[in-house]
Amino acid sequence: MTDNPVETHYTRTDLGEAILAVLKAAGKDLDHLSPDDLAPVDEFHGGQRPATVRLAELVGFTGTERVLDVGSGLGGPSRYIAWRYGCHVSGIDLTAEFVRVAEMLTRLTGLVDKVDYRQGDALSLPFEGDTFDVVWSQNAAMNIADRDRLYRGMHVVLKPGGKLALQEVAAGPGGAPYYPVQWAREPGISFLLTQAATRSKLEAAGFRVLAWQDTTPEALASAARRARTAETVPPPLGTHLILGKDWRPMFRNSARNLEERRTELFNAVLERVD
């Protein structure tokens, strides 16, 4: 077992086997899965698949890009980008169990020629400089205290003129968040900045903002729907499989935090400048 508290938070033993059991019970052909089959569970971030679609459209993929997904989780967004646009995507995630499951699901969706994963630290990206056309990251930075190092590292691995695509949770004006939430059971592994502070750090790291969208209303609508499932029996396939026994208060608190503007969500696309 890992001694990293962030990886410990996300690790679930036999997660892949639990997902496959639900898919099999639903009558899915496990040898011919599509990214759509997996979206309820592998789009593990605010807004889920619709949020991934919004950010991808903001980037404007042509299909020729080499993409790095930082904090790739179970691989939902990276597989979607490869499947929808034809890009080659590499994912990196701190949680070894997430990487194992991402690799398994990528094999079952037939995308191994387009997507690869490795376990690693977003603060020490194991890639050469000037490698990627797009660095992509959804709901990963809220577990990272050293944003300066994070954004500088993303700048290094991007090609000159490359794009950084972010969906991030930000601190809002409504006060400290209620815990537990999906990314933290307590404040010790939660490091939220305001949107203004985040933008300032990104610009200091060498990025120019191309687009910046406050997506809190869309995130709240999605979170409110998830919170309602906490009052009933959840669908068989969903992110509750990842979160463990306290998924119900996590869902409720996520919606309440957005509603009270204790947290915000934003999309941003930025360009590497030198």
Side-chain angles (χ1 to χ4, degrees), residues 4 16 36 40 88 103 108 127 130 143 145 150 157 163 187 202 211 255 272:
N4 184 298
D36 283 345
H88 188 280
E103 291 175 335
L108 295 176
F127 303 99
D130 302 349
N143 288 127
L150 173 66
V157 299
K163 292 179 178 179
L202 285 162
R272 172 182 158 172

Side-chain angles (χ1 to χ4, degrees), residues 69-82:
D69 184 357
V70 178
S72 49
L74 302 186
S78 50
R79 282 189 294 273
Y80 173 79
I81 294 168

Side-chain angles (χ1 to χ4, degrees), residues 200-221:
S200 177
K201 287 185 176 292
L202 285 162
E203 291 173 340
F207 290 102
R208 179 172 67 90
V209 174
L210 300 177
W212 194 285
Q213 298 177 342
D214 186 321
T215 58
T216 306
E218 294 87 347
L220 174 56

Side-chain angles (χ1 to χ4, degrees), residues 101-146:
V101 175
E103 291 175 335
M104 177 188 71
L105 296 177
T106 300
R107 290 194 300 271
L108 295 176
T109 51
L111 290 168
V112 292
D113 61 330
K114 288 288 188 181
V115 189
D116 61 82
Y117 300 97
R118 67 179 71 186
Q119 193 271 341
D121 189 338
L123 295 179
S124 300
L125 294 173
F127 303 99
E128 297 293 327
D130 302 349
T131 295
F132 296 96
D133 302 291
V134 177
V135 171
W136 171 283
S137 187
Q138 285 177 279
N139 289 46
M142 65 275 189
N143 288 127
I144 299 173
D146 192 346

Side-chain angles (χ1 to χ4, degrees), residues 46-47 54 215-224 226 254-255 258 264-265:
R54 282 194 298 272
T215 58
T216 306
E218 294 87 347
L220 174 56
S222 176
R226 286 198 305 275
S254 291
L258 288 163
E264 299 176 340
L265 219 71

